Amino acid sequence: MMSVMSESSFTGVSPDVQGHGQSPETSRQYWTESADTGALRKVPLPSPGPGELLIETLHSGISRGTESLVHRGEVPANITEIMQAPFQLGELPFPVSHGYLNVGVVRQGSEGLIGQTVFTLAGHREHVVVPKAAAHVLPEGCPPQRALLAGIGEVGLNGLWEGPVMVGDRVAVVGGGLIGLTTALLASTMALQRLQVVEIDAERRGFIESLGLDAVTPEDAGLDNDVVLHSSASSAGLATALRLAGDDAVVVEQSWYGTGDQQIPLGADFHARRLRIAATQVGQVPGPRRMRRTRGQRLATALAMLDSRFDLLISGHSPLAELPAVMQDVASGAPWTREQILHVIDHPLAAHHAFG
């Protein structure tokens, strides 16, 4: 399913791209229709209201963990309101148009923003409408695809604040997936005594080293950490995180398990060593900063922190037309998806930017 759009695949959706002088009348949206079933819907082109922007999407990104749970229908019924995406359409569990990594070009709304490339927490839709305050103009020199990682960077930043991770700390990140690597790259900008990414897969450890990070096996990881950030979404990973935490240390749990049950080894030295497990959820800014940072300010900070290393986390591309099949593969763990970190969905406008 991994592919890159060609010039001939551009169907055209915006008047200034096509040069036809006519606005598009319809737009495509990706919806999870039922458990394990996704489809593209053709809908009328949305219109922005007062204070809103119409954005034509260049790229959207698949946040593998969250979107797999949504695709499989594994969002617990009692937290569907809490776990909804900022600009989702429909209601969890389904039918729903979820997702929260979107970069596009402003087409209507504030005159000062028309033509600007922006990141929003919107999903896999050719056109999105969001409030002006929810659109973040890309920093100068930031490629559109890199900016997709702003939403993941926000998760990583939340985890670092939740610890909190401080200068001179010994820090372990357990799990070298999208969340773990993004968190580790952000943490690497701090003056830490030690930063290790704990990963069981040898090939992934080699990739992590290429990012300039220290990758180790669970057996070789340093002990006595001040903060351990866990994102492997597995019981074994959480057990490793607890083992690596020093006395009185905190494990920040960044994984979301959905309806799955996990076994946590609390009967060993968890109480004796006074360990803490802190939940972090991106829907809220952590308590220590909640009175001084809005969610929008947190996202803007994450976007500004993305450097060229983050480009290496983009591992594959597929055109929007293939998204239903791609999402099924991602959610079912098809072999080709296991090496993916951030899989990018290219929308028709992307072809114009690539070849125009």
Side-chain angles (χ1 to χ4, degrees):
M1 286 295 173
M2 235 182 350
S3 59
V4 178
M5 295 189 69
S6 64
E7 184 175 12
S8 61
S9 66
F10 174 54
T11 57
V13 289
S14 76
D16 55 331
V17 170
Q18 284 186 286
H20 292 168
Q22 296 180 347
S23 299
E25 296 180 354
T26 61
S27 182
R28 288 179 295 175
Q29 301 173 342
Y30 176 76
W31 284 72
T32 304
E33 303 288 3
S34 59
D36 297 310
T37 303
L40 291 174
R41 293 184 181 181
K42 184 176 286 189
V43 300
L45 183 74
S47 298
E52 294 182 327
L53 305 175
L54 173 67
I55 299 166
E56 184 177 6
T57 301
L58 278 165
H59 310 281
S60 55
I62 297 176
S63 181
R64 178 173 181 160
T66 298
E67 294 188 55
S68 291
L69 291 173
V70 171
H71 183 79
R72 297 193 299 263
E74 295 179 0
V75 179
N78 63 322
I79 62 167
T80 54
E81 183 175 349
I82 297 174
M83 298 310 299
Q84 65 182 359
F87 299 109
Q88 76 175 37
L89 303 177
E91 301 294 335
L92 291 166
F94 25 70
V96 64
S97 180
H98 202 267
Y100 47 89
L101 305 176
N102 185 294
V103 172
V105 178
V106 178
R107 295 305 188 200
Q108 296 179 32
S110 172
E111 290 187 6
L113 288 177
I114 292 177
Q116 293 280 346
T117 303
V118 296
F119 172 86
T120 69
L121 290 167
H124 306 287
R125 305 195 290 271
E126 277 188 299
H127 297 83
V128 298
V129 171
V130 302
K132 177 183 176 181
H136 297 263
V137 177
L138 272 56
E140 184 176 355
C142 178
Q145 294 178 54
R146 182 193 303 169
L148 287 173
L149 287 148
I152 306 301
E154 189 178 26
V155 176
L157 188 58
N158 223 50
L160 296 176
W161 285 352
E162 195 78 61
V165 174
M166 303 177 71
V167 170
D169 275 355
R170 294 183 291 269
V171 177
V173 176
V174 178
L178 178 59
I179 299 295
L181 292 182
T182 299
T183 302
L185 286 173
L186 293 177
S188 71
T189 64
M190 303 175 66
L192 301 176
Q193 181 177 333
R194 183 179 69 211
L195 173 63
Q196 294 180 322
V197 180
V198 184
E199 172 57 49
I200 61 175
D201 183 81
E203 186 174 349
R204 180 59 60 88
R205 287 198 302 273
F207 172 74
I208 294 170
E209 294 282 352
S210 75
L211 296 173
L213 300 169
D214 183 15
V216 296
T217 65
E219 295 74 25
D220 292 334
L223 304 176
D224 200 28
N225 286 283
D226 299 290
V227 180
V228 182
L229 299 114
H230 175 242
S231 62
S232 77
S234 70
S235 295
L238 183 52
T240 295
L242 290 169
R243 180 176 62 84
L244 299 180
D247 293 357
D248 286 305
V250 60
V251 172
V252 179
E253 179 56 87
Q254 296 180 288
S255 303
W256 182 30
Y257 299 94
T259 56
D261 293 325
Q262 304 299 315
Q263 296 296 316
I264 306 174
L266 301 182
D269 56 356
F270 177 77
H271 291 283
R273 297 202 294 117
R274 302 172 304 280
L275 302 180
R276 291 179 294 128
I277 301 176
T280 182
Q281 205 281 327
V282 75
Q284 295 289 340
V285 176
R289 286 174 174 77
R290 194 170 301 167
M291 301 304 294
R292 301 182 302 278
R293 299 288 193 283
T294 66
R295 291 169 60 181
Q297 289 171 331
R298 181 187 58 187
L299 179 55
T301 299
L303 179 59
M305 293 180 71
L306 302 179
D307 58 43
S308 60
R309 296 175 299 168
F310 287 85
D311 296 340
L312 300 176
L313 302 186
I314 298 171
S315 51
H317 294 253
S318 295
L320 179 63
E322 293 182 10
L323 181 53
V326 168
M327 194 68 76
Q328 178 60 30
D329 281 355
V330 168
S332 63
W336 74 268
T337 69
R338 294 171 189 166
E339 297 180 359
Q340 294 294 296
I341 301 176
L342 177 65
H343 194 79
V344 174
I345 301 303
D346 295 319
H347 293 243
L349 181 61
H352 170 75
H353 275 234
F355 298 99

